[in-house]
Amino acid sequence: RGRQRARHRVAHEACMFERLTVCARVLVALLALGIATTGGKAQDRGLLTGRVTARTTAEPVPAATVSIEGTALRTLTDSLGGYRLVSVPTGRHVLRIQKLGFALQRIDILMPDEGTLAQNVEMARSALEIDGVRVLADPVGRARGELGTASVIESEAIRSQVAASLAGVLELIPGIPLSPPGLDNVQQVSLRTSPISGGSNILTDASAENISAFGTLLVLDGVPLSNNANLQSLGTRGELAFSSAAGGGIDLRRIPATTIERVEVIRGIPSARWGDLTHGAIIVDTRAGAVEPALAARADANTTEFTLVGGREFAGKHAMTLTSNGASTRSSGVRDDATVRLSGQLAHRYTSADTRGGASNMVAPRLTLDSRIDFFRLTDDQPEVTTLPGSARFSTSSALRVLERAELRLSDANRLHVTAAFERGEQRSWSRRNLVSGIRALSTRLEPGREVGRFGGGTYNTRVDIDGAPSMFYVRSELASTRRFLGLDHDLRFGAELRRENNSGEGTQFDLLLPPQAQPSGARGFDRPRRFADVPAFATTGLYIDDRFDWTLFGGARALVQAGVRLDMLHDGGQWFSATRDAVWQPRLNAELALSPALSLRAGAGRLAKSPSIAALNPALDYYDVVNVNYFANEPSERLAVLTTFVFDPANPDLGYTIADRIEGGVELRAGGSQLSLTVYYDRLTGATSVAPEGSAVTRDLYALENVAPGSGQPPRIVEPPIGQDVLPILISRSANNVAQNGGGVELTADFPEIKVLRSRISVQGAFARSSLFKDGIEFPSRFLEFQLLPSIPRVPYYDGIERTGERLLLTTRLVHHQPELGLVITGIVQHTLREVQQNIGATDSLAFAGYMSRDGTLTPVPLAERGRAEYADLRGGRSVLTDERRGDPDWLLSVQVAKTLPRGGRLSFYAFNALDRQGQYGTLEGLQRLYASSRFGLEVTMPLAGLGLAR
């Protein structure tokens, strides 16, 4: 490993090790206390019984599935609607009841230490007709098999949320700003991160939001989605824009909200089975199995959307599900921009156990197969408008994914899970724009060497086409085993996963004489077209072990612990059998102490790692076009330009994983129908990928000319050999793990009981996040170009990086008025932006420089105590960096939704985003911009299609 990377990682690991050690000591003490007080006694278990009936008719509901969330316990109701679950663990659980044609029911239950519990359930055709309907994430929910802080969003809340994509569903978790439903712009999610100021180039000006989005794992139906192979960018100097998430996370617009069944957002420390992440995991399940067919439509002034969903179970062992979605969003105003999405999925599920016989035949299937084929196509079209002649852009992104998941029950205690998937996508974009440049000499060489160049510049229209074809192969094998040892029941998971990604697209194409960069770049010249198919593939291997166990402590308290370790390896050569480029061990630990059914304490600590992208591992070559002769005559035929092209590979062989060390603690309280969750967290991320300037120099030959005769109509001739040489300093844009980010904050979620007289309930979500980002390395002033081209300037100063910070405090209050007998729900949402601050921190005085670069490319540091000496007077020019605090005015927006049941189980919704059209203001360098998007009003309707015979 490179020395700088090693020092960088060791220093931060030592700092985080102290925090992890303190947390581990607390948890070990907790475990020791539990063992000492229980002597290894297993938890008591009980019997849960009840009857499921229809709400309106009181008739029994047979063949409804009854289960305990987070366990393998489940059964079917008999012909009288009765059910019976044995060996239910002591403590608080969520009872889940579902049946085709009825709304999902989730009921909090408290299982006593001994004996039985009776719980009757009423089911309704629509969730709007159920008492206590939930329209937000569970404040104290748990992702399946996870102890880390998480938000669980069930289908009931998803259907109640006005959302065109997964991004809208995620607005139900703390700290996510509200946005109008639609497909207007690229949609990414940034967990536990505050926006900070930054540049416009995502490859050179890493921002906290892009780092967070890139480091957030998105798992769709058990298979990770990846943005590692997205190369839709012009590199470090591109001036043209593309509608792309390159350098960031997955564009969430690809996943329609109406086809989602369940979302789990792990905001804390995920278990060891999840890798390739630094900020959290989002687990998305789409609708599958027997689903009542329904057609949903939505329209407002900007967006139109249609969704068709239906599934049928047949032969007792098979189920087929079809989902399809089409949506279109057009911008308002003078532009005619449009975004169109098409998506669809065909799912087949097979279980070896026939469930047609009712509860007596409800046995765990020996084999379960889940097969899916899904497709999406997302198109952004921004045509030319009269106010911007010559400017237009277009992009389309599509992918076809095939996946297979298999679960084999080897015995009552052992299960084998195998997941395999292949995804192939296409990313085609083009952008054109009028650029203005001075007349300059251009070279079209693709290899090092000298050639006669051409003169170009002035006003010209440039166009760049980027054609990518990213693909990913993924396979995971996991053995889950339930074992009892040391007097405790353990849920063990051993797993391995392989991933290989590449991009076989045609790449970046443009006319070399009409380059996409017009700004002066000195000797650096211009980028060249690049074939993506020549970029090496990307392969990783992951191995993990995870254990979860719990026991009863003194006074009925319970302790739950989940511990694991993961090893991720990044390979050279794009093959799993090739050498290991980098490897990271990732210990993770979560613990929960349930002092009583009403009070729980939580803590967690762990390490996560994210691989660099293909673009960072294999950046485009750096071209430097050094002008040997630049004879410019009025007559074009008499002009002569001779250029020597130097080519450098800016790849960094030591580039490796980004490391995130995280720690959190929290408390959960349930009392009198209220639920409250408070979490405090601190994250430290090191080694995020960006670009570091590396000083160097090239030697330029100088030539004499002969036959210089204006009016001859012929260019002059160069005289060999060269008459001399000079040295030009240059900067190579080297990929590097040179960005560190600290983050911390507080999250609060509170759900209060219903106010009976008003038939209303209130929920509150608050999130404060503070982020600071520091790019290790050096920065050069704008006058570097002048230094490069003028031999009379002997040196130029360089500066240390700037720390960029941001703070955000959001408070979201939801008031839900519910009349179940009318099937009516009115939801009012007020989101307060109480604090929005961004600031750059760094020295800007005359002594701010850290050193200087000589003309031969040598970097010389200057100690602070010596910078005031007379010999450094030429370096003391001050630094032009905006360090004033930029603050947004505290403001709020109001959104309203009214949902009403329709005959035959349909639903009609009216929504108003930012109903009062409050603009909010946020300061920028150019002035003020809107903090909130403008008002948007619309209607949404869902109608069952049971008459088509698509469901059993």
Side-chain angles (χ1 to χ4, degrees):
R1 301 287 171 256
R3 295 180 181 177
Q4 179 180 1
R5 177 174 172 79
R7 290 195 301 268
H8 182 71
R9 180 172 292 181
V10 168
H12 292 308
E13 286 182 357
C15 177
M16 193 59 197
F17 180 77
E18 295 181 4
R19 296 186 177 92
L20 294 176
T21 301
V22 172
C23 183
R25 289 175 178 172
V26 173
L27 294 175
V28 169
L30 174 64
L31 302 185
L33 176 63
I35 294 174
T37 54
T38 63
K41 179 184 177 182
Q43 62 183 9
D44 295 326
R45 297 175 179 269
L47 172 66
L48 176 63
T49 61
R51 188 165 180 260
V52 180
T53 58
R55 177 182 175 88
T56 54
T57 64
E59 294 180 353
V61 179
T65 302
V66 182
S67 60
I68 301 294
E69 286 192 358
T71 74
L73 297 174
R74 69 173 188 149
T75 187
L76 292 180
T77 56
D78 57 26
S79 59
L80 299 178
Y83 70 90
R84 184 174 184 269
L85 286 171
V86 297
S87 299
V88 180
T90 299
R92 186 173 294 276
H93 301 283
V94 175
L95 181 66
R96 182 186 180 100
I97 309 96
Q98 56 189 124
K99 163 79 172 178
L100 183 65
F102 291 88
L104 170 70
Q105 272 276 43
R106 299 175 72 249
I107 300 174
D108 289 330
I109 61 171
L110 177 60
M111 201 66 196
D113 292 342
E114 296 179 358
T116 64
L117 175 67
Q119 179 67 58
N120 294 328
V121 180
E122 288 185 343
M123 301 193 73
R125 291 277 298 175
S126 171
L128 303 181
E129 298 173 351
I130 300 174
D131 290 327
V133 60
R134 298 198 61 84
V135 297
L136 72 161
D138 190 344
V140 294
R142 286 286 181 273
R144 288 166 295 196
E146 301 286 328
L147 271 185
T149 303
S151 297
V152 179
I153 308 173
E154 292 284 355
S155 58
E156 176 186 325
I158 295 171
R159 304 294 170 261
S160 300
Q161 181 76 356
V162 176
S165 68
L166 174 60
V169 176
L170 297 179
E171 293 175 4
L172 292 173
I173 67 177
I176 302 298
L178 302 181
S179 59
L183 309 175
D184 305 71
N185 300 298
V186 172
Q187 296 174 354
Q188 301 180 82
V189 62
S190 179
L191 298 176
R192 291 183 168 180
T193 304
S194 174
I196 63 172
S197 62
S200 59
N201 194 303
I202 56 178
L203 297 180
T204 59
D205 304 303
S207 72
E209 288 181 292
N210 274 330
I211 290 174
S212 175
F214 186 61
T216 298
L217 177 68
L218 180 58
V219 181
L220 181 62
D221 295 322
V223 176
L225 298 180
S226 173
N227 213 37
N228 291 325
N230 188 345
L231 297 173
Q232 303 293 98
S233 171
L234 283 184
T236 59
R237 290 179 291 160
E239 296 177 25
L240 273 66
F242 292 87
S243 179
S244 169
I250 295 292
D251 190 345
L252 303 181
R253 294 180 297 176
R254 67 176 286 182
I255 306 176
T258 50
T259 63
I260 300 174
E261 183 67 21
R262 177 184 169 99
V263 178
E264 301 171 350
V265 184
I266 306 173
R267 310 192 310 276
I269 294 93
S271 65
R273 72 190 307 252
W274 302 120
D276 200 41
L277 76 167
T278 54
H279 281 78
I282 301 174
I283 319 300
V284 180
D285 293 332
T286 57
R287 304 178 77 175
V291 177
E292 186 172 23
L295 174 66
R298 184 163 58 85
D300 58 37
N302 298 80
T303 301
T304 303
E305 181 178 11
F306 295 92
T307 303
L308 178 64
V309 179
R312 180 178 179 181
E313 184 178 291
F314 54 95
K317 297 183 178 182
H318 299 267
M320 295 286 293
T321 311
L322 174 66
T323 65
S324 60
N325 174 271
S328 174
T329 295
R330 289 192 172 275
S331 64
S332 56
V334 297
R335 300 196 62 93
D336 194 25
D337 300 346
T339 303
V340 178
R341 177 186 64 208
L342 298 174
S343 69
Q345 182 184 85
L346 179 64
H348 171 259
R349 182 169 293 166
Y350 165 80
T351 57
S352 60
D354 192 331
T355 61
R356 290 176 295 179
S360 62
N361 204 29
M362 191 64 171
V363 296
R366 180 171 178 79
L367 176 65
T368 300
L369 298 176
D370 187 5
S371 310
R372 301 183 188 229
I373 300 176
D374 56 54
F375 163 83
F376 86 93
R377 181 181 180 88
L378 188 67
T379 300
D380 282 315
D381 184 15
Q382 299 185 23
E384 181 178 320
V385 295
T386 56
T387 55
L388 290 172
S391 296
R393 63 187 186 187
F394 176 87
S395 68
T396 180
S397 178
S398 61
L400 177 68
R401 190 177 67 143
V402 181
L403 71 89
E404 181 71 39
R405 289 189 292 177
E407 179 181 342
L408 178 62
R409 185 169 58 88
L410 304 175
S411 65
D412 290 340
N414 299 298
R415 301 175 305 280
L416 177 64
H417 303 267
V418 178
T419 302
F422 178 76
E423 178 174 319
R424 170 61 185 265
E426 287 190 354
Q427 297 171 334
R428 302 186 182 276
S429 306
W430 61 261
S431 180
R432 58 184 174 88
R433 178 182 172 188
N434 287 327
L435 298 180
V436 180
S437 171
I439 301 299
R440 63 181 66 190
L442 300 173
S443 172
T444 59
R445 287 192 67 88
L446 301 178
E447 302 291 338
R450 192 183 73 188
E451 75 170 14
V452 176
R454 305 183 187 182
F455 286 94
T459 300
Y460 62 95
N461 188 263
T462 183
R463 169 168 167 152
V464 177
D465 291 83
I466 304 184
D467 295 334
S471 63
M472 182 182 76
F473 172 75
Y474 175 86
V475 60
R476 176 205 293 267
S477 179
E478 179 181 280
L479 176 64
S481 179
T482 302
R483 288 287 183 269
R484 183 173 180 82
F485 57 90
L486 297 178
L488 301 172
D489 292 327
H490 296 258
D491 291 326
L492 290 163
R493 292 185 292 194
F494 309 85
E497 64 177 16
L498 304 175
R499 183 188 306 194
R500 186 177 188 272
E501 301 180 57
N502 72 330
N503 194 317
S504 58
E506 290 299 316
T508 307
Q509 307 110 39
F510 55 87
D511 188 339
L512 286 172
L513 297 179
L514 302 173
Q517 300 99 17
Q519 301 303 316
S521 56
R524 185 167 182 182
F526 299 94
D527 287 339
R528 304 296 200 266
R530 182 192 192 199
R531 273 178 50 82
F532 295 160
D534 298 333
V535 177
F538 167 99
T540 61
T541 299
L543 304 172
Y544 61 88
I545 179 173
D546 184 72
D547 184 21
R548 177 171 174 169
F549 53 92
D550 65 299
W551 67 90
T552 302
L553 303 176
F554 54 90
R558 296 173 62 230
L560 298 89
V561 177
Q562 185 170 30
V565 64
R566 179 183 181 92
L567 172 64
D568 278 323
M569 293 172 284
L570 174 63
H571 300 283
D572 276 322
Q575 303 294 336
W576 297 299
F577 51 79
S578 57
T580 300
R581 179 190 185 107
D582 194 12
V584 181
W585 287 97
Q586 302 160 64
R588 303 177 191 175
L589 179 65
N590 283 289
E592 179 178 338
L593 175 61
L595 298 174
S596 70
L599 178 63
S600 298
L601 304 178
R602 295 181 290 102
R607 168 163 290 182
L608 296 81
K610 176 73 180 75
S611 61
S613 66
I614 289 182
L617 290 169
N618 302 279
L621 298 175
D622 263 354
Y623 290 82
Y624 295 82
D625 299 322
V626 176
V627 179
N628 306 106
V629 174
N630 186 1
Y631 180 79
F632 186 83
N634 292 330
E635 175 59 41
S637 61
E638 299 176 1
R639 300 171 184 172
L640 176 64
V642 179
L643 301 94
T644 300
T645 299
F646 297 86
V647 183
F648 296 88
D649 184 357
N652 184 352
D654 293 325
L655 192 71
Y657 282 101
T658 300
I659 307 298
D661 292 308
R662 313 184 69 187
I663 189 168
E664 69 170 15
V667 58
E668 294 177 353
L669 179 66
R670 306 173 181 89
S674 298
Q675 298 185 95
L676 181 144
S677 174
L678 177 67
T679 303
V680 180
Y681 63 90
Y682 174 78
D683 304 333
R684 184 173 183 85
L685 182 145
T686 58
T689 303
S690 186
V691 171
E694 180 180 290
S696 186
V698 297
T699 301
R700 173 173 62 175
D701 292 331
L702 303 176
Y703 294 91
L705 299 178
E706 64 180 12
N707 194 26
V708 180
S712 66
Q714 298 293 325
R717 294 188 298 272
I718 64 173
V719 179
E720 296 280 4
I723 60 173
Q725 293 179 330
D726 65 359
V727 176
L728 290 181
I730 64 172
L731 296 175
I732 301 173
S733 300
R734 183 81 63 191
S735 298
N737 296 106
N738 64 336
V739 175
Q741 179 182 322
N742 294 336
V746 181
E747 295 172 338
L748 170 68
T749 301
D751 192 11
F752 299 101
E754 182 181 11
I755 305 172
K756 297 295 185 180
V757 66
L758 300 178
R759 294 189 171 186
S760 301
R761 62 189 306 166
I762 296 175
S763 65
V764 177
Q765 291 179 331
F768 171 76
R770 187 182 192 278
S771 302
S772 64
L773 185 147
F774 179 79
K775 183 176 178 181
D776 191 19
I778 58 176
E779 298 177 359
F780 286 87
S782 59
R783 64 178 184 271
F784 180 84
L785 176 61
E786 182 183 12
F787 157 73
Q788 184 184 60
L789 299 180
L790 295 180
S792 59
I793 303 177
R795 59 187 180 180
V796 68
Y798 65 80
Y799 302 88
D800 289 328
I802 290 290
E803 181 181 5
R804 293 178 281 163
T805 66
E807 295 182 5
R808 169 179 281 176
L809 175 58
L810 290 181
L811 182 66
T812 304
T813 304
R814 288 178 170 86
L815 174 64
V816 181
H817 175 72
H818 182 204
Q819 297 188 35
E821 67 278 4
L822 299 179
L824 175 68
V825 173
I826 302 175
T827 305
I829 308 171
V830 178
Q831 185 169 85
H832 287 81
T833 303
L834 299 175
R835 184 172 177 82
E836 186 85 14
V837 178
Q838 296 179 7
Q839 186 176 16
N840 296 328
I841 301 174
T844 60
D845 58 17
S846 61
L847 300 181
F849 68 94
Y852 62 88
M853 178 179 181
S854 304
R855 295 205 62 81
D856 61 358
T858 302
L859 301 177
T860 303
V862 178
L864 178 60
E866 300 180 10
R867 296 174 192 173
R869 293 166 54 176
E871 62 185 283
Y872 300 121
D874 60 317
L875 304 178
R876 295 196 293 267
R879 187 180 191 181
S880 178
V881 174
L882 178 65
T883 57
D884 293 337
E885 185 180 88
R886 287 173 284 176
R887 181 186 298 269
D889 296 330
D891 211 328
W892 55 272
L893 68 82
L894 168 67
S895 294
V896 179
Q897 180 185 358
V898 180
K900 177 70 174 69
T901 55
L902 296 177
R904 300 176 57 191
R907 175 185 296 194
L908 175 66
S909 298
F910 165 80
Y911 59 87
F913 170 82
N914 194 7
L916 303 180
D917 197 26
R918 296 189 62 83
Q919 297 185 14
Q921 300 294 338
Y922 184 72
T924 66
L925 290 174
E926 294 79 16
L928 296 176
Q929 64 183 23
R930 288 186 66 122
L931 188 60
Y932 308 123
S934 58
S935 298
R936 190 167 296 184
F937 303 87
L939 289 172
E940 185 175 21
V941 61
T942 302
M943 286 300 299
L945 302 175
L948 297 181
L950 297 179
R952 192 182 68 175

